[in-house]
Amino acid sequence: MSHPPSVTYASGAIVRLIGSDLMTEPTTAALLRRLAPVSDGAHSTILDERQLALLAAVAARLVPQTERTAAIDLVGSFHRRLVEGTGVGWRYAELPAAAVMHRTGLAALNASAAAAFGSEFVELQAAQQDELLRTVQSGKTWPVAWRGIDPAMWFEELLATLVDIFYAHPLAQDDIGFAGMADAHGWPDVGLGAREVYEPEPVPGEQLGA
Amino acid sequence: MTAMHALDEMVDAVVIGTGAGGAPLLSRLAEAGLKVVALEAGRHWQPQQDFATDEEEQNKLFWMDERLSAGANPIEFGKNNSGIGVGGSTLHYTAYVPRPQPDDFKLHREFGVGADWPIGYDDLAPYYDELELFLGVSGPQSYPWGPSRPPYPLSPLPLNAAAQLMDRACAKLGIATSPAPNAALSAPYFHPAYGRRQACTNRGFCQAGCSTGAKASMDVTYIPRALARGAELRPSCFVTELPLGRSGKISGVVYVRDGQREVQRCRHVFLCAGAIETPRLLLINEIANSSKQVGKNFMAHTGLQIWGTFDEMTRPYKGIPGGLISEETHRPPDADFAGGYLLQSIGVMPLTYAGQVARGRGLWGDALLRHMRNYNQVAGINILGDCLPHEDNELLLSDECDGRGLPKPLVRFTAQDNELRMTAHADRLMRQIWGAAGAEDVWAYQRFAHTIGTARMGDDPGTSVVDADGRAHDVANLTICDNSVFPSALAANPALTIMALALRTADRFLARAAQGDA
């Protein structure tokens, strides 16, 4: 199966739409809230400092951020969801509730790092971290205390949550050239290749290869 | 206009839920002059002010009370298939409204598997006709499949990129297609019952709430009509109890509003809360279940999606998501399964797509970011196929409680042999189609769509929960009207059939009442 080359978009085209007359008020308000700094989940004890540092290291491998998206606070948003109990309306019956699941999963990941490489996850080289994460994703892992949690299911939940936070952010939507939030006037032409002037085009010559 | 009934006033009917089941029924009863009160768990939104074109913001339209998913194919709830708010699931349906075909209702007679409906296509056909006019369905003048039928009242919506790609590829392969019937307006539409609605702006956001009123959700069609005819609507009311009086009838409906417990006295109860909350409420209250069929035979449509990346720009966020249809696979000649499926082109919003890439394909790191940078060149097709009822697929009460202290629902679902064979057939065909369309990096997302079954209708009180008119076999003044009463899944999206059942259920009830037998 061939893979098309990955394209890139010039920075800022989407963010400039926010607050313009191309966007309705409810959409503008929602995106401005998203751009605001994540209020810290204040006084919560779901994850401690050490677990948050571990989560940050994992997030950096699963959803690596560039300078362009660095302002997206993955860990802050993730933690706030745990503190506020924000879910997606369902969970695998085999897994415990989110807070217990992620505390247990992160602890088991660290224990796996120790079993495989003799160090904590945050101390490992990126390639070692990736190897460890691939193993957890595959569901085959070291005999450490997962306390009844299926490693592959936990990995899926962790990844899906981080991805959900990342691509909900206007900076990540800017990165992929999504202009659907320009909703004030509708789309008169919707066929292949149809484009309004405010819909970004890929930057010519900046294909990354697959 | 809107009436206000006292709690101790004996109203004629309480309708629980305001989606595709509750809203048309509420309207019909109010039109007949009955005193009716609708209880809705969610809020009454004002779409133009309240709906953003932002997926995360619109999570408020989905039922987010946690449901537990088990079995070999655990069902995703939340944004996949649930709705809350006045309008229920129609707030987030894509408005795709093909009719089932007559043979869908008698799968057992044709194949010896599944279950037949106690009613048939002919019982619902007049209601399909009525609904398509009332909602303002856009579609072809002449629909290529199924029995002859009137032309759709509005011409089709424009084909977006995914629809054009599917059209192009199917033409090459000799597979007939048609612009799909969609309950969104291709031109401004006026109906005396609800006034004027504007044409669709091709915003592509049907699944997360229409802000313009072009999509025929219940909040802009049957609800305004019901209110104009004197129905009372109570949003933000969560029903918890259906107590039986000494007569064996439900004496009133107990619900929680603003943290307060209230009881509305009533003569009749219409339970229209959908195939999860309806059986959950019955199980919690231990009523209407002498057949032990409440919660059984949970079904979900086979909904395999095939995605591909194209050289051309698709910008898949634009246009009605399901622009094109083919029912050439309704009874495929080379099928090794019972029943059939329809084919559909699909648009997609970025957060939904990214979530599927993460869960379904397991991409992360640079591979994920690279794939997502091609979002504007992605297009998809999927199927909507029948699902057979099976004893292992069921809804139960878990031993875990929600914030209200009520047991969370647990749903076990395992796709059985028939679903697996159908999905494999569709996988081959759709890869062929997407190959002919020029797709690269083709991948499949295994999805099961809609929640169906759990309180099936039937003539035998020993094997069904309600009769052909939706009346509970066990409780004289309880009627159920939503997707939970479906004995089989049907190879068509359920909303139109739920609405047709709602109108029929109301008419049957009113006819009996006129004869003094309600």
Side-chain angles (χ1 to χ4, degrees), chain B residues 309-328:
Chain B
T309 308
F310 294 83
D311 286 338
E312 294 162 280
M313 302 298 283
T314 59
R315 295 190 172 90
Y317 47 86
K318 296 194 282 191
I320 191 85
L324 200 76
I325 190 169
S326 176
E327 295 198 40
E328 290 296 297

PDB file of all heavy atoms in Angstrom, chain B residues 309-328:
ATOM      1  N   THR B 309      -6.704   8.173   1.503  1.00  0.00           N
ATOM      2  CA  THR B 309      -6.156   9.504   1.272  1.00  0.00           C
ATOM      3  C   THR B 309      -5.993   9.689  -0.234  1.00  0.00           C
ATOM      4  O   THR B 309      -5.582   8.769  -0.934  1.00  0.00           O
ATOM      5  CB  THR B 309      -4.800   9.652   1.989  1.00  0.00           C
ATOM      6  OG1 THR B 309      -4.968   9.280   3.359  1.00  0.00           O
ATOM      7  CG2 THR B 309      -4.301  11.077   1.934  1.00  0.00           C
ATOM      8  N   PHE B 310      -6.355  10.872  -0.711  1.00  0.00           N
ATOM      9  CA  PHE B 310      -6.391  11.136  -2.149  1.00  0.00           C
ATOM     10  C   PHE B 310      -5.434  12.265  -2.519  1.00  0.00           C
ATOM     11  O   PHE B 310      -5.056  13.080  -1.667  1.00  0.00           O
ATOM     12  CB  PHE B 310      -7.827  11.506  -2.573  1.00  0.00           C
ATOM     13  CG  PHE B 310      -8.791  10.362  -2.416  1.00  0.00           C
ATOM     14  CD1 PHE B 310      -9.382  10.085  -1.177  1.00  0.00           C
ATOM     15  CD2 PHE B 310      -9.088   9.531  -3.480  1.00  0.00           C
ATOM     16  CE1 PHE B 310     -10.249   9.017  -1.018  1.00  0.00           C
ATOM     17  CE2 PHE B 310      -9.959   8.462  -3.332  1.00  0.00           C
ATOM     18  CZ  PHE B 310     -10.534   8.204  -2.097  1.00  0.00           C
ATOM     19  N   ASP B 311      -5.031  12.297  -3.787  1.00  0.00           N
ATOM     20  CA  ASP B 311      -4.193  13.395  -4.268  1.00  0.00           C
ATOM     21  C   ASP B 311      -4.962  14.711  -4.236  1.00  0.00           C
ATOM     22  O   ASP B 311      -4.415  15.762  -3.938  1.00  0.00           O
ATOM     23  CB  ASP B 311      -3.741  13.122  -5.711  1.00  0.00           C
ATOM     24  CG  ASP B 311      -2.665  12.049  -5.758  1.00  0.00           C
ATOM     25  OD1 ASP B 311      -2.005  11.841  -4.721  1.00  0.00           O
ATOM     26  OD2 ASP B 311      -2.504  11.412  -6.823  1.00  0.00           O
ATOM     27  N   GLU B 312      -6.251  14.629  -4.555  1.00  0.00           N
ATOM     28  CA  GLU B 312      -7.055  15.843  -4.598  1.00  0.00           C
ATOM     29  C   GLU B 312      -7.479  16.264  -3.194  1.00  0.00           C
ATOM     30  O   GLU B 312      -7.548  15.457  -2.279  1.00  0.00           O
ATOM     31  CB  GLU B 312      -8.312  15.602  -5.449  1.00  0.00           C
ATOM     32  CG  GLU B 312      -8.017  15.360  -6.917  1.00  0.00           C
ATOM     33  CD  GLU B 312      -9.197  14.713  -7.624  1.00  0.00           C
ATOM     34  OE1 GLU B 312      -9.354  13.488  -7.481  1.00  0.00           O
ATOM     35  OE2 GLU B 312      -9.952  15.429  -8.267  1.00  0.00           O
ATOM     36  N   MET B 313      -7.811  17.547  -3.071  1.00  0.00           N
ATOM     37  CA  MET B 313      -8.265  18.054  -1.777  1.00  0.00           C
ATOM     38  C   MET B 313      -9.748  17.702  -1.599  1.00  0.00           C
ATOM     39  O   MET B 313     -10.580  18.049  -2.434  1.00  0.00           O
ATOM     40  CB  MET B 313      -8.074  19.579  -1.715  1.00  0.00           C
ATOM     41  CG  MET B 313      -6.640  20.037  -1.923  1.00  0.00           C
ATOM     42  SD  MET B 313      -5.499  19.431  -0.666  1.00  0.00           S
ATOM     43  CE  MET B 313      -5.897  20.526   0.693  1.00  0.00           C
ATOM     44  N   THR B 314     -10.051  17.040  -0.502  1.00  0.00           N
ATOM     45  CA  THR B 314     -11.446  16.660  -0.220  1.00  0.00           C
ATOM     46  C   THR B 314     -12.092  17.593   0.800  1.00  0.00           C
ATOM     47  O   THR B 314     -13.295  17.742   0.825  1.00  0.00           O
ATOM     48  CB  THR B 314     -11.507  15.228   0.332  1.00  0.00           C
ATOM     49  OG1 THR B 314     -10.727  15.171   1.533  1.00  0.00           O
ATOM     50  CG2 THR B 314     -10.970  14.222  -0.673  1.00  0.00           C
ATOM     51  N   ARG B 315     -11.287  18.154   1.666  1.00  0.00           N
ATOM     52  CA  ARG B 315     -11.787  18.983   2.782  1.00  0.00           C
ATOM     53  C   ARG B 315     -13.084  18.368   3.327  1.00  0.00           C
ATOM     54  O   ARG B 315     -14.190  18.861   3.095  1.00  0.00           O
ATOM     55  CB  ARG B 315     -11.977  20.426   2.325  1.00  0.00           C
ATOM     56  CG  ARG B 315     -10.632  21.075   1.939  1.00  0.00           C
ATOM     57  CD  ARG B 315     -10.725  22.571   1.716  1.00  0.00           C
ATOM     58  NE  ARG B 315      -9.391  23.139   1.536  1.00  0.00           N
ATOM     59  CZ  ARG B 315      -8.777  23.262   0.337  1.00  0.00           C
ATOM     60  NH1 ARG B 315      -9.385  22.881  -0.757  1.00  0.00           N
ATOM     61  NH2 ARG B 315      -7.570  23.767   0.268  1.00  0.00           N
ATOM     62  N   PRO B 316     -12.916  17.259   4.065  1.00  0.00           N
ATOM     63  CA  PRO B 316     -14.069  16.399   4.371  1.00  0.00           C
ATOM     64  C   PRO B 316     -15.043  16.964   5.396  1.00  0.00           C
ATOM     65  O   PRO B 316     -15.993  16.279   5.774  1.00  0.00           O
ATOM     66  CB  PRO B 316     -13.394  15.128   4.922  1.00  0.00           C
ATOM     67  CG  PRO B 316     -12.101  15.591   5.488  1.00  0.00           C
ATOM     68  CD  PRO B 316     -11.661  16.739   4.614  1.00  0.00           C
ATOM     69  N   TYR B 317     -14.815  18.218   5.816  1.00  0.00           N
ATOM     70  CA  TYR B 317     -15.719  18.834   6.791  1.00  0.00           C
ATOM     71  C   TYR B 317     -16.897  19.524   6.111  1.00  0.00           C
ATOM     72  O   TYR B 317     -17.755  20.094   6.787  1.00  0.00           O
ATOM     73  CB  TYR B 317     -14.959  19.854   7.659  1.00  0.00           C
ATOM     74  CG  TYR B 317     -14.072  20.820   6.898  1.00  0.00           C
ATOM     75  CD1 TYR B 317     -14.567  22.005   6.372  1.00  0.00           C
ATOM     76  CD2 TYR B 317     -12.715  20.539   6.697  1.00  0.00           C
ATOM     77  CE1 TYR B 317     -13.758  22.881   5.682  1.00  0.00           C
ATOM     78  CE2 TYR B 317     -11.890  21.412   6.004  1.00  0.00           C
ATOM     79  CZ  TYR B 317     -12.413  22.592   5.502  1.00  0.00           C
ATOM     80  OH  TYR B 317     -11.600  23.455   4.804  1.00  0.00           O
ATOM     81  N   LYS B 318     -16.948  19.493   4.785  1.00  0.00           N
ATOM     82  CA  LYS B 318     -17.980  20.270   4.097  1.00  0.00           C
ATOM     83  C   LYS B 318     -19.073  19.393   3.487  1.00  0.00           C
ATOM     84  O   LYS B 318     -18.820  18.284   3.027  1.00  0.00           O
ATOM     85  CB  LYS B 318     -17.335  21.106   2.988  1.00  0.00           C
ATOM     86  CG  LYS B 318     -16.359  22.135   3.527  1.00  0.00           C
ATOM     87  CD  LYS B 318     -15.974  23.164   2.490  1.00  0.00           C
ATOM     88  CE  LYS B 318     -14.956  22.641   1.500  1.00  0.00           C
ATOM     89  NZ  LYS B 318     -14.412  23.740   0.664  1.00  0.00           N
ATOM     90  N   GLY B 319     -20.270  19.928   3.466  1.00  0.00           N
ATOM     91  CA  GLY B 319     -21.373  19.253   2.786  1.00  0.00           C
ATOM     92  C   GLY B 319     -22.052  18.212   3.658  1.00  0.00           C
ATOM     93  O   GLY B 319     -21.519  17.776   4.681  1.00  0.00           O
ATOM     94  N   ILE B 320     -23.246  17.816   3.241  1.00  0.00           N
ATOM     95  CA  ILE B 320     -23.971  16.781   3.992  1.00  0.00           C
ATOM     96  C   ILE B 320     -23.061  15.553   4.038  1.00  0.00           C
ATOM     97  O   ILE B 320     -22.553  15.105   3.016  1.00  0.00           O
ATOM     98  CB  ILE B 320     -25.350  16.497   3.343  1.00  0.00           C
ATOM     99  CG1 ILE B 320     -26.213  15.627   4.254  1.00  0.00           C
ATOM    100  CG2 ILE B 320     -25.229  15.842   1.969  1.00  0.00           C
ATOM    101  CD1 ILE B 320     -26.978  16.383   5.304  1.00  0.00           C
ATOM    102  N   PRO B 321     -22.827  14.985   5.233  1.00  0.00           N
ATOM    103  CA  PRO B 321     -21.827  13.910   5.329  1.00  0.00           C
ATOM    104  C   PRO B 321     -22.161  12.700   4.452  1.00  0.00           C
ATOM    105  O   PRO B 321     -21.269  12.154   3.807  1.00  0.00           O
ATOM    106  CB  PRO B 321     -21.835  13.549   6.815  1.00  0.00           C
ATOM    107  CG  PRO B 321     -22.342  14.770   7.506  1.00  0.00           C
ATOM    108  CD  PRO B 321     -23.317  15.407   6.552  1.00  0.00           C
ATOM    109  N   GLY B 322     -23.426  12.282   4.444  1.00  0.00           N
ATOM    110  CA  GLY B 322     -23.789  11.102   3.663  1.00  0.00           C
ATOM    111  C   GLY B 322     -24.472  11.514   2.371  1.00  0.00           C
ATOM    112  O   GLY B 322     -25.690  11.449   2.238  1.00  0.00           O
ATOM    113  N   GLY B 323     -23.705  11.917   1.390  1.00  0.00           N
ATOM    114  CA  GLY B 323     -24.280  12.482   0.174  1.00  0.00           C
ATOM    115  C   GLY B 323     -24.783  11.442  -0.819  1.00  0.00           C
ATOM    116  O   GLY B 323     -25.736  11.672  -1.553  1.00  0.00           O
ATOM    117  N   LEU B 324     -24.124  10.291  -0.849  1.00  0.00           N
ATOM    118  CA  LEU B 324     -24.425   9.308  -1.891  1.00  0.00           C
ATOM    119  C   LEU B 324     -24.781   7.968  -1.249  1.00  0.00           C
ATOM    120  O   LEU B 324     -24.275   7.613  -0.191  1.00  0.00           O
ATOM    121  CB  LEU B 324     -23.197   9.124  -2.795  1.00  0.00           C
ATOM    122  CG  LEU B 324     -23.488   8.528  -4.181  1.00  0.00           C
ATOM    123  CD1 LEU B 324     -24.120   9.593  -5.080  1.00  0.00           C
ATOM    124  CD2 LEU B 324     -22.222   7.979  -4.823  1.00  0.00           C
ATOM    125  N   ILE B 325     -25.636   7.210  -1.941  1.00  0.00           N
ATOM    126  CA  ILE B 325     -26.052   5.909  -1.421  1.00  0.00           C
ATOM    127  C   ILE B 325     -26.048   4.892  -2.546  1.00  0.00           C
ATOM    128  O   ILE B 325     -26.188   5.239  -3.722  1.00  0.00           O
ATOM    129  CB  ILE B 325     -27.477   6.006  -0.802  1.00  0.00           C
ATOM    130  CG1 ILE B 325     -27.848   4.733  -0.025  1.00  0.00           C
ATOM    131  CG2 ILE B 325     -28.526   6.296  -1.874  1.00  0.00           C
ATOM    132  CD1 ILE B 325     -29.117   4.882   0.821  1.00  0.00           C
ATOM    133  N   SER B 326     -25.842   3.624  -2.165  1.00  0.00           N
ATOM    134  CA  SER B 326     -26.143   2.513  -3.064  1.00  0.00           C
ATOM    135  C   SER B 326     -26.784   1.403  -2.249  1.00  0.00           C
ATOM    136  O   SER B 326     -26.310   1.074  -1.166  1.00  0.00           O
ATOM    137  CB  SER B 326     -24.885   1.972  -3.744  1.00  0.00           C
ATOM    138  OG  SER B 326     -25.240   0.837  -4.527  1.00  0.00           O
ATOM    139  N   GLU B 327     -27.877   0.869  -2.770  1.00  0.00           N
ATOM    140  CA  GLU B 327     -28.491  -0.309  -2.136  1.00  0.00           C
ATOM    141  C   GLU B 327     -28.319  -1.542  -3.014  1.00  0.00           C
ATOM    142  O   GLU B 327     -29.073  -2.505  -2.886  1.00  0.00           O
ATOM    143  CB  GLU B 327     -29.974  -0.033  -1.824  1.00  0.00           C
ATOM    144  CG  GLU B 327     -30.179   1.069  -0.789  1.00  0.00           C
ATOM    145  CD  GLU B 327     -31.566   1.039  -0.169  1.00  0.00           C
ATOM    146  OE1 GLU B 327     -32.067  -0.067   0.113  1.00  0.00           O
ATOM    147  OE2 GLU B 327     -32.136   2.132   0.027  1.00  0.00           O
ATOM    148  N   GLU B 328     -27.323  -1.511  -3.892  1.00  0.00           N
ATOM    149  CA  GLU B 328     -27.034  -2.688  -4.718  1.00  0.00           C
ATOM    150  C   GLU B 328     -26.606  -3.884  -3.867  1.00  0.00           C
ATOM    151  O   GLU B 328     -26.590  -5.016  -4.329  1.00  0.00           O
ATOM    152  CB  GLU B 328     -25.920  -2.356  -5.718  1.00  0.00           C
ATOM    153  CG  GLU B 328     -26.337  -1.385  -6.809  1.00  0.00           C
ATOM    154  CD  GLU B 328     -27.419  -1.960  -7.718  1.00  0.00           C
ATOM    155  OE1 GLU B 328     -27.149  -2.959  -8.394  1.00  0.00           O
ATOM    156  OE2 GLU B 328     -28.534  -1.397  -7.728  1.00  0.00           O
TER     157      GLU B 328
END
